[in-house]
Amino acid sequence: MGTFDDMKKTADDLLDKARTTVEGLADEQGDKVADAVDKVTNTIDEKTGGKASAMTALVDEAVSGAVSKVAATGSTVTQKATEATNLVKDAVTKKPADS
């Protein structure tokens, strides 16, 4: 398994855990969720020496966007987290172009 595949699996695992966690939270906990995901993605960046920074940035953006949408629309965190998870999974399944 290549490095990209390892990072993709890690991202998929992270997203699955995030979705499971978010499902149990109330809408007013969105900021705490975004902060927790940010801490996790920062840890991943540190542990990988920044090799996963593009992927973790996508995760951070997706979660932040989902939290913002929840606040703006009154939708549940779970619905928006599922949408964001699907968007991020679609993004990470595409291998980066050869440099």
Side-chain angles (χ1 to χ4, degrees), residues 69-84:
K69 286 181 182 179
V70 166
T73 65
S75 296
T76 65
V77 173
T78 302
Q79 291 169 327
K80 294 302 176 181
T82 299
E83 291 173 20

Side-chain angles (χ1 to χ4, degrees), residues 44-96:
I44 291 170
D45 281 341
E46 289 173 15
K47 297 286 183 180
T48 64
K51 292 178 183 176
S53 62
M55 195 175 308
T56 57
L58 285 173
V59 172
D60 284 338
E61 289 175 27
V63 171
S64 294
V67 170
S68 296
K69 286 181 182 179
V70 166
T73 65
S75 296
T76 65
V77 173
T78 302
Q79 291 169 327
K80 294 302 176 181
T82 299
E83 291 173 20
T85 298
N86 291 335
L87 289 172
V88 173
K89 281 187 175 184
D90 289 345
V92 298
T93 56
K94 298 174 185 172
K95 290 191 178 187

Side-chain angles (χ1 to χ4, degrees), residues 9-26 29-30 32-41 44 56 58-60 62-64 66-67 77-86 88-89:
K9 183 183 180 325
T10 300
D12 286 344
D13 291 346
L14 172 65
L15 292 170
D16 289 341
K17 287 178 184 178
R19 185 181 346 172
T20 300
T21 301
V22 168
E23 288 175 352
L25 298 174
Q29 299 298 319
K32 290 180 183 179
V33 171
D35 289 344
V37 170
D38 189 47
K39 287 179 184 177
V40 170
T41 56
I44 291 170
T56 57
L58 285 173
V59 172
D60 284 338
V63 171
S64 294
V67 170
V77 173
T78 302
Q79 291 169 327
K80 294 302 176 181
T82 299
E83 291 173 20
T85 298
N86 291 335
V88 173
K89 281 187 175 184

